[in-house]
Amino acid sequence: MQKQLLKMREELKQREAELEKSFEDKQQLKSQVQTLKEGLQNLQNTHVMQLEMSKQDDRGGEESANQTSEATVSTVVSCSQEKEGPTEKNPPSPVHSEREALLVGIISTFLHVHPFGASIEYICSYLQRLDTKINPSEVEALLSRLPCTFRQELTGVGASLEKRWNFCGFQGIKST
């Protein structure tokens, strides 16, 4: 009985040590979660500030664009911004792979710094520096499937007519 008692005490000490270790692990995980929450909050605050700055920049860009005397014909591929009733099925995703999602992110960033848009050839020449397998038809098809994020505009007159793609992702956020 004494041997059993000693053995049980030994087991109790081991379990107490395990319990203390798991308590320390739990505390460490809580601090990591708190750090991640703070980082996420800082990231969201930074994103909100960037959105506000881009809104101000867009207003200035629109004013200077309105001052140009060149005739501009705009054909905008737009999405419906009105909310519809609840649908029974989710529409299929316009982005079919992780590669396409990566392309959307890169193109969005590229077009965000080109407020007057860019031609498909210009976009593809940029993308081909990152991946030589990119072709203009693939990129144009992807941009066409995302009308709430990208829009195509025709600018110029007659022989100088040019197709340009613009990033309009923040406009969709404003309406929701």
Side-chain angles (χ1 to χ4, degrees):
M1 287 177 74
Q2 285 181 343
K3 286 182 181 180
Q4 286 179 343
L5 181 61
L6 289 173
K7 187 177 179 182
M8 290 176 76
R9 283 184 182 171
E10 195 73 29
E11 288 177 7
L12 180 62
K13 286 180 183 178
Q14 287 178 349
R15 288 188 181 177
E16 284 177 347
E18 289 174 4
L19 182 62
E20 187 175 324
K21 185 177 185 276
S22 45
F23 180 74
E24 289 172 1
D25 290 345
K26 181 181 175 182
Q27 293 292 20
Q28 187 178 21
L29 287 174
K30 279 185 177 181
S31 68
Q32 287 178 349
V33 166
Q34 184 62 32
T35 304
L36 288 174
K37 283 181 181 179
E38 290 171 0
L40 178 62
Q41 184 66 34
N42 289 341
L43 183 62
Q44 288 173 339
N45 290 342
T46 303
H47 184 67
V48 167
M49 289 172 46
Q50 287 175 346
L51 285 174
E52 290 173 1
M53 294 298 287
S54 69
K55 286 179 187 177
Q56 291 173 355
D57 290 346
D58 287 347
R59 286 187 207 123
E62 288 172 5
E63 290 172 6
S64 64
N66 289 337
Q67 292 174 356
T68 60
S69 60
E70 176 182 311
T72 302
V73 178
S74 295
T75 305
V76 178
V77 179
S78 64
C79 65
S80 171
Q81 297 196 357
E82 297 176 15
K83 291 189 176 184
E84 297 178 5
T87 57
E88 292 181 15
K89 290 184 178 180
N90 290 336
S93 174
V95 179
H96 302 297
S97 67
E98 186 176 346
R99 181 177 184 267
E100 285 187 350
L102 181 63
L103 283 174
V104 168
I106 293 169
I107 294 168
S108 297
T109 304
F110 178 79
L111 289 176
H112 186 68
V113 297
H114 292 82
F116 300 111
S119 67
I120 196 72
E121 292 80 18
Y122 187 28
I123 295 169
C124 286
S125 70
Y126 174 74
L127 292 174
Q128 285 172 343
R129 290 182 178 180
L130 304 171
D131 182 3
T132 56
K133 297 175 186 173
I134 302 279
N135 63 45
S137 60
E138 173 190 11
V139 174
E140 193 161 19
L142 177 63
L143 297 177
S144 297
R145 287 195 314 258
L146 298 163
C148 291
T149 309
F150 305 103
R151 72 170 172 250
Q152 186 179 36
E153 293 181 346
L154 298 173
T155 59
V157 177
S160 65
L161 197 60
E162 182 182 16
K163 290 181 182 179
R164 289 179 168 251
W165 284 95
N166 287 322
F167 175 74
C168 60
F170 294 130
Q171 294 169 355
I173 292 173
K174 292 176 189 175
S175 67
T176 57

